[in-house]
Amino acid sequence: MNAVGVDVGGTKIAVGLVTPEGKILGEVRYPTPSSQQKLVDTIARAVSEVEDGSEVGGACLAVPGLILAQENKVVFSPNLRCVEGIPLKDELEPKIGMPLTIENDGNAAAWGEFRFGVGSEADHLVFITLGTGIGGGIITHGILMRGAQGSGGELGHVTIQATGPRCACGNHGCLEALASGTAIGRRARELAIEHPDSALGRLAASRKVLGEDVTELAREGNEVALSVLKEAGTWLGVGLAGFINVFNPEVVAVGGGVMEAGELLLEPARREVMLRARPPSSELAEVKAATLGAKSGVLGAAALARDASSGEYVLGG
Ligand SMILES: [Zn+2]
């Protein structure tokens, strides 16, 4: 049966009606409201628009932040504060008229890549998404690893450099603080001060440099921008090597908007993986770009909603 996947992001909400084979039959998008009541109303409206009277088995909401699965609640979301503490299942189920589950957005995207994307041939997948922050998800033996409460798989908040830059979560030196789009922008602004005559330095003199500017300048061959991506890719590789040692995956998939930089990030990451991950895990694991792009969240959430209605879904807690 078809299912609805809802991907709640910091700036937009994407809702899709998805077939069991992973085809999106219809999709709507809305800007993410900043108040709790408007957020709930917007999600409910988007779900009813996309289902449009067709038979739907259930819906799953992919949300950024730490989740308490048994309470179907987001307890900590530094990049989307208004979603914290809402009893989402209780509020939304009566409005949308179908069973609803809540999942961390990184976990949902991982499930999307596992079912329909770069991990569809694997039983063991580590997925990491590089955006404003860093999310991720782990699949072992074909099962999404949620942990005891449903808040596991936070790959972006593994400490990589104990005395490193402060992270949005409050810790120092998380992978997110070293290899996210935010981290790339921050590092580029630091280096722009040291290299005022470079293209990066000249851009920084006119406006705030962001992560995507670095990719664009690097593509044009700017040495300083290239060095920023190489550094971020190296930190990424430090993180991935640890995940490979711990989880022994067949595939490590890297997605998210920052992957516009492609091999400029993955090449230094792979080099670091070769130095730090141990065989046989390092010989098996392939570090690849994710293939579903921004659709992984909607596709993964819909697949999780279907698995929940078929009883295959194991909630944490
Ligand atoms: Zn953190």
Side-chain angles (χ1 to χ4, degrees), residues 52-100:
D52 197 23
S54 62
E55 204 180 349
V56 180
C60 174
L61 215 60
V63 284
L66 295 176
I67 292 195
L68 275 177
Q70 268 195 336
E71 296 177 27
N72 281 291
K73 208 188 264 183
V74 181
V75 290
F76 180 60
S77 181
N79 296 318
L80 187 64
R81 287 282 181 198
C82 77
V83 79
E84 289 176 358
I86 314 177
L88 288 162
K89 186 180 173 74
D90 297 345
E91 294 253 340
L92 277 163
E93 264 186 355
K95 289 185 162 68
I96 63 176
M98 65 179 87
L100 179 80

Side-chain angles (χ1 to χ4, degrees), residues 156-157 167-169 171 174 176:
H157 299 287
C167 182
C169 75
N171 187 22
C174 289
E176 175 170 311

Side-chain angles (χ1 to χ4, degrees), residues 1-274:
M1 197 181 290
N2 296 336
V4 172
V6 183
D7 189 2
V8 182
T11 56
K12 67 174 187 311
I13 297 168
V15 183
L17 178 65
V18 183
T19 69
E21 295 76 33
K23 184 164 185 268
I24 298 178
L25 299 175
E27 193 174 12
V28 295
R29 286 163 188 268
Y30 283 105
T32 307
S34 54
S35 82
Q36 293 199 341
Q37 195 53 52
K38 279 189 182 147
L39 182 72
V40 168
D41 292 345
T42 303
I43 293 169
R45 177 166 17 120
V47 171
S48 62
E49 281 176 18
V50 85
E51 64 157 326
D52 197 23
S54 62
E55 204 180 349
V56 180
C60 174
L61 215 60
V63 284
L66 295 176
I67 292 195
L68 275 177
Q70 268 195 336
E71 296 177 27
N72 281 291
K73 208 188 264 183
V74 181
V75 290
F76 180 60
S77 181
N79 296 318
L80 187 64
R81 287 282 181 198
C82 77
V83 79
E84 289 176 358
I86 314 177
L88 288 162
K89 186 180 173 74
D90 297 345
E91 294 253 340
L92 277 163
E93 264 186 355
K95 289 185 162 68
I96 63 176
M98 65 179 87
L100 179 80
T101 51
I102 315 294
E103 189 55 74
N104 169 268
D105 57 354
N107 282 355
W111 196 250
E113 290 288 349
F114 172 68
R115 291 290 304 274
F116 309 117
V118 68
S120 58
E121 302 286 312
D123 288 322
H124 305 265
L125 170 75
V126 169
F127 169 77
I128 188 159
T129 174
L130 312 176
T132 309
I134 292 185
I138 300 137
I139 285 131
T140 56
H141 299 281
I143 294 169
L144 179 62
M145 197 212 83
R146 291 193 172 79
Q149 296 166 293
S151 62
E154 283 289 331
L155 301 179
H157 299 287
V158 168
T159 302
I160 298 293
Q161 188 190 33
T163 55
R166 194 171 172 86
C167 182
C169 75
N171 187 22
H172 282 267
C174 289
L175 183 56
E176 175 170 311
L178 295 160
S180 64
T182 308
I184 289 169
R186 191 202 62 243
R187 186 70 181 125
R189 292 192 293 278
E190 287 170 7
L191 288 181
I193 295 167
E194 292 173 29
H195 302 272
D197 297 328
S198 68
L200 182 67
R202 289 194 296 276
L203 182 65
S206 65
R207 66 170 172 83
K208 185 178 180 180
V209 173
L210 301 173
E212 52 261 42
D213 299 318
V214 179
T215 300
E216 207 171 311
L217 286 168
R219 286 243 174 84
E220 291 164 11
N222 179 264
E223 289 292 333
V224 187
L226 282 164
S227 74
V228 172
L229 290 182
K230 188 177 170 192
E231 192 179 295
T234 302
W235 287 122
L236 174 65
V238 173
L240 296 185
F243 305 149
I244 288 167
N245 284 338
V246 173
F247 298 109
N248 188 200
E250 293 142 337
V251 177
V252 176
V254 187
V258 178
M259 273 300 287
E260 287 287 317
E263 288 298 311
L264 295 175
L265 275 175
L266 286 191
E267 198 264 334
R270 285 195 199 98
R271 193 170 337 118
E272 206 61 27
V273 163
M274 289 312 293

